[in-house]
Amino acid sequence: CYENNIFKGVTDTMFMPNNTITRGQMVTVLWRMNGSPEPKNANPFGDVAATSPFVKAIAWAAENKLTNGITETTFAPAQAISRQQFLTILYRYAQFMGYDVSVGEDTNILSFEDVGEVGEYAIPAMQWACGSGLVAGVAQEGGLALVPKGTTTRAQAATLMMRFQSIFVKNT
């Protein structure tokens, strides 16, 4: 991810793999993967300053319907991104890029012990992530879990992006 300019360090010499990735960082990763295009529309969220390092990425992600805000006017760029939010944005990005996401349509995620915690909006993304091999679940005492409301670390995000690239991008 670093070599392909998808992820950068927190500083020039530190990656901080165990830190959580934020909502602003997540859309910036996708924006970079897409060549850092200039957004056509202004940033629609009042909590993203014009001087924010994420402003162009957030405006681009919003105009391409990759993400919604926490509300219609709030994006929460510094908020740690949950696993279900991360996978939903990645799923929408895959659709945006024209990748085949049909594998999730028939994927049964009911065997995961915490499937009831998955937000309704995130069910197709979770099915796709499991069916495509991006996510296999997290081992817990009672079995495998999706941990949809858990946060995503920078290391986990980099791993997911590496898997995404190898499964989808190389096949196009």
Side-chain angles (χ1 to χ4, degrees):
C1 288
Y2 180 79
E3 288 175 4
N4 290 296
N5 197 32
I6 295 168
F7 255 77
K8 294 186 178 191
V10 175
T11 70
D12 288 341
T13 59
M14 293 177 58
F15 184 75
M16 303 190 90
N18 296 320
N19 280 18
T20 56
I21 188 169
T22 67
R23 291 172 48 81
Q25 290 168 337
M26 169 55 181
V27 296
T28 299
V29 166
L30 297 178
W31 178 66
R32 285 185 187 137
M33 283 176 53
N34 210 258
S36 304
E38 199 63 36
K40 295 177 182 93
N41 301 316
N43 163 45
F45 303 107
D47 65 337
V48 181
T51 57
S52 168
F54 308 124
V55 69
K56 287 184 179 184
I58 291 169
W60 172 82
E63 76 186 21
N64 288 296
K65 304 198 182 333
L66 304 182
T67 184
N68 301 319
I70 299 298
T71 69
E72 285 196 26
T73 58
T74 305
F75 185 77
Q79 182 181 79
I81 194 165
S82 71
R83 291 170 57 91
Q84 65 185 352
Q85 289 172 341
F86 186 100
L87 292 170
T88 298
I89 293 169
L90 190 56
Y91 173 72
R92 290 175 183 159
Y93 179 75
Q95 291 175 313
F96 168 76
M97 293 300 293
Y99 301 144
D100 183 5
V101 296
S102 63
V103 68
E105 294 170 3
D106 296 322
T107 302
N108 183 347
I109 60 172
L110 294 175
S111 62
F112 291 95
E113 64 181 51
D114 59 349
V115 70
E117 295 177 28
V118 176
E120 189 174 333
Y121 75 92
I123 290 172
M126 285 290 191
Q127 289 175 305
W128 165 77
C130 291
S132 67
L134 284 174
V135 172
V138 176
Q140 294 190 340
E141 192 173 310
L144 287 177
L146 293 169
V147 195
K149 295 178 182 175
T151 57
T152 305
T153 67
R154 291 173 53 80
Q156 290 167 334
T159 299
L160 285 168
M161 297 314 300
M162 180 199 66
R163 287 180 190 156
F164 179 82
Q165 291 278 4
S166 65
I167 293 169
F168 294 97
V169 178
K170 77 171 190 172
N171 293 328
T172 58

